[in-house]
Amino acid sequence: MKKFLKLIPLLLLIPTVLAGCGSSIPSENSEEIMQDSKADDAITVGFSQLGAESDWRSANTDSMLKAFGEGSGYNLIYKNGQQKQANQITAIRMFIQQEVDYIVLAPSTEDGWETVLSEAREADIPVILVDRRVNTADKNLYSCWVGSDFELEGKKMAAWIKAYTEGVGIAPEDIHIVNIQGNIGSTAQIGRTRGLANAARDNGWDLMAEVSGDFTENRGREVMAALLKRFDNINVVYCENDNMAIGAIDAIESAGRKVGSDIGNGEIMVVSFDGVNETALEYASQGKISCIAECNPLHGPRVRGLIEMLQRGEIPEKFNYVDEKLFSSVPGVDAIVVDGKTYKVERK
Ligand code: AHR
């Protein structure tokens, strides 16, 4: 816990940092932050965030910085991986070198973590995963994980699409869907893609294409523009996050098409995930986004709770899921059932 003192000379070398130069308030846009609590017995947390691709990610970083930043009683070393796993691996090695008390990792993708997490274990530093997961044969390479059930989110969305289209009398074979996916190999992409692909197969929908838009608005726009040139019968766009949905809507409207749930009359229905971005929420209330499956980014206090449990010598649950809702302003579906459980559809 006094280990953080070893870092202080490094502060002078750090190129980045606090938003608005001179401000002591860390920002989620910072590349690197070192927050010294000044207390001798403070716990030092090294947090490797994967990047800043979406509004969800910014809200998540903000939540983590509030939980572990100034005034929290913790020392924090925060590193933004800028969407590159190699940067995250380097950050973890730096945390190990600095002998932090805990490593918190929001991994970009699932594969490729064995070596560096083994190094953390050899150094006896507990690792907590947040948001996405890692795919390691040895689950003891990390203490626990907290985040969303991404496949359940996908299943809920598919159940809503099914209930809505059945309600308005669209035959399964007349549902022509494209999936604009998140970054390939991330838990959020894998789960949401699987949720849709299984439902398409089971219901006989025409899933025409799955293309990654990397969870960003710009890529969502580009991918949608290309899909509209490739297919003239798209009537449902499943966007694996709100930022890509905003880009996709822009592309659809720029192509002279109308966005909405009246797919029997030529509208293109857009559905998405997150429920964080203001524009997306506005679009949901206007019916431009027909349904949003919530993905909750506020993991800071949850990770803090897990660290507090570990500090008390307790063993937290290995996998800690967050409860999430489904939002739609389109009338007709009040609730959906997934795996025998009923979920209310919240009005936006
Ligand atoms: O892993 C969570 C996902 O990552 C969010 O849905 C997306 O917006 C983000 O970038």
Side-chain angles (χ1 to χ4, degrees):
M1 315 209 181
K2 289 201 179 122
K3 295 164 197 160
F4 193 74
L5 293 176
K6 294 182 187 174
L7 299 171
I8 290 180
L10 274 178
L11 288 169
L12 301 170
L13 302 175
I14 287 175
T16 5
V17 192
L18 302 176
C21 282
S23 160
S24 63
I25 301 165
S27 148
E28 71 275 3
N29 295 322
S30 306
E31 299 306 331
E32 186 166 74
I33 291 166
M34 296 184 106
Q35 171 68 49
D36 179 4
S37 79
K38 309 276 189 299
D40 277 358
D41 59 348
I43 294 166
T44 300
V45 171
F47 172 41
S48 168
Q49 176 60 287
L50 65 95
E53 72 284 4
S54 64
D55 289 76
W56 188 99
R57 188 64 51 199
S58 300
N60 175 247
T61 302
D62 197 35
S63 170
M64 294 293 288
L65 295 184
K66 282 198 177 97
F68 294 103
E70 196 177 354
S72 66
Y74 283 81
N75 299 325
L76 172 70
I77 313 173
Y78 162 83
K79 293 281 286 177
N80 176 340
Q82 300 180 58
Q83 262 62 48
K84 290 196 176 70
Q85 186 184 37
N87 291 343
Q88 293 199 274
I89 290 174
T90 303
I92 293 171
R93 293 206 165 113
M94 196 267 269
F95 299 153
I96 295 171
Q97 220 179 16
Q98 300 303 328
E99 299 178 30
V100 300
D101 297 298
Y102 292 91
I103 291 172
V104 179
L105 169 65
S108 51
T109 46
E110 291 196 348
D111 291 339
W113 297 99
E114 257 93 0
T115 306
V116 76
L117 293 189
S118 301
E119 291 167 23
R121 183 167 62 185
E122 273 158 38
D124 217 13
I125 301 175
V127 173
I128 295 173
L129 302 177
V130 62
D131 172 28
R132 303 174 183 178
R133 297 205 199 177
V134 297
N135 177 23
T136 54
D138 182 355
K139 303 284 176 258
N140 292 322
L141 289 178
Y142 51 90
S143 300
C144 52
W145 163 88
V146 61
S148 304
D149 187 334
F150 298 109
E151 186 168 348
L152 176 61
E153 291 174 355
K155 285 180 175 180
K156 286 199 243 172
M157 184 60 77
W160 184 88
I161 295 170
K162 179 174 160 69
Y164 173 73
T165 51
E166 281 178 359
V168 294
I170 309 278
E173 62 274 18
D174 293 333
I175 298 172
H176 306 290
I177 307 191
V178 292
N179 180 6
I180 305 185
Q181 302 166 292
N183 66 299
I184 301 300
S186 65
T187 315
Q189 175 273 312
I190 294 169
R192 291 170 188 166
T193 295
R194 192 183 290 141
L196 175 65
N198 288 342
R201 187 200 55 224
D202 295 347
N203 293 306
W205 299 339
D206 176 22
L207 176 55
M208 298 192 291
E210 299 175 313
V211 190
S212 176
D214 286 331
F215 283 127
T216 70
E217 184 175 328
N218 283 344
R219 288 286 297 137
R221 186 179 293 105
E222 284 167 21
V223 164
M224 189 69 228
L227 287 167
L228 286 166
K229 287 189 185 129
R230 217 170 120 198
F231 304 103
D232 62 6
N233 58 346
I234 299 169
N235 53 15
V236 180
V237 184
Y238 178 99
C239 291
E240 291 186 2
N241 84 348
D242 284 340
N243 288 83
M244 295 190 297
I246 292 166
I249 288 169
D250 193 18
I252 293 167
E253 292 179 336
S254 300
R257 299 290 305 275
K258 192 151 187 268
V259 175
S261 55
D262 193 2
I263 55 181
N265 285 309
E267 291 186 349
I268 298 182
M269 186 165 86
V270 175
V271 297
S272 74
F273 295 80
D274 283 357
V276 174
N277 177 294
E278 289 295 324
T279 305
L281 294 172
E282 185 59 30
Y283 281 1
S285 66
Q286 295 167 358
K288 278 192 178 191
I289 296 180
S290 294
C291 188
I292 296 181
E294 181 195 12
C295 183
N296 187 312
L298 307 178
H299 296 319
R302 298 178 182 123
V303 173
R304 205 177 144 139
L306 292 169
I307 289 180
E308 284 165 5
M309 280 184 84
L310 291 165
Q311 280 297 109
R312 291 194 297 269
E314 296 167 21
I315 300 174
E317 291 289 324
K318 190 86 183 175
F319 299 105
N320 300 276
Y321 291 95
V322 174
D323 281 340
E324 293 170 331
K325 296 180 173 162
L326 198 67
F327 301 104
S328 174
S329 60
V330 177
V333 184
D334 295 326
I336 46 133
V337 180
V338 173
D339 297 334
K341 191 170 166 193
T342 302
Y343 298 88
K344 184 172 176 277
V345 177
E346 312 284 334
R347 296 291 159 218
K348 257 281 147 222

